[in-house]
Amino acid sequence: MKQLFDKYKREFIVLLATIAMCAIFTIMNANFLRWSNFLTILQQMVLNSILAVGMMFAIITGGIDLSIGCTFAITGIVVASITVGGGNPFIAILAGLIVGALLGAFNGFLVNNLKLQPFIATLGTMSLYRGIAYVVTGGQPVTNVPDSYRNIFNGKMFAGIRYYIIVMIIVFVIAYIILQKTRTGAYLYAVGGNEEAAKLSGVNTVKTKYIAYIICGVCASIAGLVMLASLGSAESTAGTGYETNAIAAAAIGGTRMAGGRGTPFGTFIGGLMLAVLKVGMVVINVDSFWQYVVTGIIIIVASYFEFIQQDVQAFLARRKQG
Amino acid sequence: MGKAVEFTKINKYFPGVHVLKDISFSVEEGEVHALLGENGAGKSTLLNILHGVYPEYEGEVKLHGTKVHFRNPNQAIVEGKISKVHQETLVVKDLTVGQNITLGYEPLKGGLVDYAKMNKDVNEILKDLDCNFKAEDIAATLTSGQMQMLAIARALYHKSTIISLDEPTASLSQKETEALFKVVKKLKKDGVTIMYVSHRLEEIFQICDRATIMRDGEFICTLDVAKTTRDELIHAMVGRSVAAVASRLKPCRKQDEVVLRAEHLTGDAFHDVSFELHKGEILGFFGLVGAGRTETMRAIFGADKRLGGKVYIHGKEITGSWNSTKALRAGIGLIPEDRKTQGFLTLSSNIDNIAISSLEKYMKGAFVDPKKTRANAERYFKEMDIHPNDPDYLTKNLSGGNQQKVILSRWMSTDADIIVFDEPTKGVDVAAKAEIYRLMEDMVEEGKSLIVISSELPEVMGLSDRIIIMCEGHINKEFNRDEFKSSDEMLDYAIGGN
């Protein structure tokens, strides 16, 4: 147990802060504690969390992916077009995931083969992918997605829980397994921690970074699939600005922006905290403009905390050594 | 004439190491004074004290008879009128030459930078130095020789009376070197005192008046260059007996099986390098910094691109795209020179740092089994006596010697049987050094084959079965163990003699 706490110290602290936030909202409005409200929070966090966990993979390798909002939109358009045209919904889902993987792989190509800075490379593809979405649709939304598709994600199980909640949980479990249990996970952390050292240890850094960007793209696609199911239509403007929320969730959850550190658990808590904040502010009737102010403060405080934590660790290490 | 610089009983300690021991000597005003010694002799540390980089030291520094104690390099430049021209010149490439030279001390007019005056002043200095570039040029367009001149011009802008040149010719062409010497002679005529650090002995004879020799942090002697021979100089620099430091108890007996062969290998920093490594031998690579040894090995390991030539590992030629992952699979390991930036994973524990190159050995189905990686780390912690004995500890918090043992453990955990050690004992204390030598010998006993790149002659001569000496990117000489005679001879080949 102590070991678990040591490993996830940062995550537990964010979780405690989130619980404290819930307590404050409950004191201000007892309705906050309702089951339906809890479901709202979960639904609220689904898209951002799935995007954030993918983003986390890119960040762990020392990169970033600004194009996820556009991958998200393109996936919606592709899947909507297939299903509206009468295609098999499962084939449409597969096609959507392939689109995400390809767009992610192209980011990987720019970063690995052309050696572009990830920020600039994905800033470029952000515009490029968005442009493709506009060109393909002519700016028109694709509407009337059939229920046969929508129910796959949107259907309710018990107690009002929709399937996409389960999808989110599966995504996080898979992310956890990849990062914590497989060789690829160890390589991802190694590349982000010190790329040159990883290379000189025999790690295939190019392949590792490709994997990170592909996973990031696939996660964006999964989020796009969920979005399409709940809205029933796809728009080329969908997902604009989502990359910043995803970065925020990952950062609050303790993902190190320079790479090498970050856990799915932390990103999940980060996404949860942002959702609690958003829903809680509505419940206690705070003007939605203030949400931006509060979110901003939380990101800054969380980053500062990360900074302090490193100092404390270095201090303890020195004391331990004598 | 007075004394430009006087050192009296300078002592300097780094954690656990006494790097400068009671250094006392003086430099006359207006002379060109060489500072000589092997890598690690303490020359750079002494210059850093003189120029305010290390404000903490014991002893006394006097400039022109006045006691000084600089807190930072800027104070030394501005108040002490003493400047250092670095080996790798520090230039902001996007700024103009004028901006670089006046950086931080730009001429002002009404609170704004007076560019007209800046360029006029700087161009006067450049003209005086006979430079073929202007204050208005962008620094990025300069050659390394011109950048060296820029640094000297900066020193003159601050009216420096003492200028240190640290390996100024390391990256200069023959022609640029001649131009530099002309400037040095001119400065000397103008009464500027020059302190000159270089490994190239012929330069010392060309332009220096006197030379101070340091060894192992101690002052050895100050010589009048005109009355000294090259051999005397080298002997004073190397000095000690070689066998006392590193020695082979059991030199390799037979050398018939070739495990690694390079043929006409060429890259950016080396050309036409051919050699063979035999099973069970230690092959030393000696040379000065920048001789191309590291680059050659990085190319063989797949960390850098090869421009030409062939490499055979266990008799098989490497073909197609080559990278470190394939090199590892073929059985080559590399222990890099700079542990901090190239060796250990900064954010990882000792367990992960040891396991990273051999993860396929700790699998349980598709997953890495943390119990197995831990057991592996614990085994090496015990075998190598690593302190503190905590595999969960972050490697970056260990001492240099222990970090090196962690990285050694990493490669011993793999199946690599050809291992390249790049400066294996750099920044490692004496006790850990001896242990690393012992481990290397154990590895050879097991049938592994080692390449040791080292700039420490006693180390290469003590450990190696054969020594290859590289100079300026090519192999200059090869010695078998029974041909090792004097370190003077080795050093001679490393600086280009034959």
Side-chain angles (χ1 to χ4, degrees), chain B residues 252 254-263 275-283 285 297 300 310-318 322 327 329-333 415-420 443-444 446-452 465-466:
Chain B
C252 176
K254 49 177 190 191
Q255 302 184 344
D256 41 8
E257 191 186 337
V258 175
V259 290
L260 175 72
R261 187 161 86 240
E263 282 179 6
F275 67 90
E276 287 182 344
L277 173 70
H278 303 106
K279 188 177 159 76
E281 87 170 332
I282 299 181
L283 175 59
F285 267 77
M297 295 309 153
I300 291 174
K310 292 176 178 174
V311 178
Y312 299 85
I313 299 168
H314 296 298
K316 249 175 69 185
E317 188 185 344
I318 59 175
W322 186 243
R329 260 184 235 136
I332 300 190
D415 294 324
D417 56 2
I418 301 168
I419 298 181
V420 179
M443 290 167 93
V444 194
E446 285 168 25
K448 293 183 178 173
S449 319
L450 311 184
I451 289 176
V452 178
D465 296 300
R466 280 187 301 139

Side-chain angles (χ1 to χ4, degrees), chain B residues 226-330:
Chain B
K227 293 179 195 152
T228 310
T229 67
R230 180 195 179 84
D231 288 343
E232 281 168 352
L233 217 54
I234 293 179
H235 187 79
M237 278 168 70
V238 181
R240 69 202 147 190
S241 75
V242 168
V245 185
S247 65
R248 277 292 283 286
L249 302 175
K250 303 159 237 171
C252 176
R253 277 138 301 193
K254 49 177 190 191
Q255 302 184 344
D256 41 8
E257 191 186 337
V258 175
V259 290
L260 175 72
R261 187 161 86 240
E263 282 179 6
H264 310 295
L265 211 55
T266 297
D268 281 330
F270 55 93
H271 41 91
D272 201 16
V273 171
S274 303
F275 67 90
E276 287 182 344
L277 173 70
H278 303 106
K279 188 177 159 76
E281 87 170 332
I282 299 181
L283 175 59
F285 267 77
F286 179 68
L288 302 177
V289 175
R293 297 166 296 166
T294 302
E295 292 80 358
T296 305
M297 295 309 153
R298 280 178 64 97
I300 291 174
F301 185 65
D304 292 337
K305 276 213 167 66
R306 237 175 331 128
L307 298 179
K310 292 176 178 174
V311 178
Y312 299 85
I313 299 168
H314 296 298
K316 249 175 69 185
E317 188 185 344
I318 59 175
T319 49
S321 74
W322 186 243
N323 61 34
S324 58
T325 313
K326 290 181 184 169
L328 168 58
R329 260 184 235 136

Side-chain angles (χ1 to χ4, degrees), chain A residues 193-231:
Chain A
N194 187 341
E195 189 169 339
E196 180 69 8
K199 185 166 97 176
L200 293 178
S201 306
V203 173
N204 191 334
T205 53
V206 170
K207 182 174 148 196
T208 305
K209 285 195 283 182
Y210 260 108
I211 290 173
Y213 285 98
I214 290 172
I215 289 176
C216 188
V218 169
C219 284
S221 281
I222 295 171
L225 294 173
V226 171
M227 176 77 155
L228 181 68
S230 53
L231 285 187

Side-chain angles (χ1 to χ4, degrees), chain B residues 40-68:
Chain B
K43 298 166 297 190
S44 303
T45 311
L46 189 67
L47 283 187
N48 281 332
I49 285 175
L50 179 63
H51 291 276
V53 180
Y54 297 143
E56 278 168 33
Y57 59 90
E58 290 171 13
E60 196 178 73
V61 180
K62 276 188 188 168
L63 297 185
H64 306 294
T66 316
K67 183 174 186 243
V68 292

Side-chain angles (χ1 to χ4, degrees), chain A residues 5-26:
Chain A
F5 180 77
D6 274 350
K7 192 170 173 193
Y8 289 109
K9 205 170 5 177
R10 163 73 189 241
E11 286 83 347
F12 278 122
I13 290 168
V14 179
L15 182 60
L16 278 179
T18 308
I19 292 169
M21 229 180 247
C22 291
I24 294 168
F25 286 133
T26 307

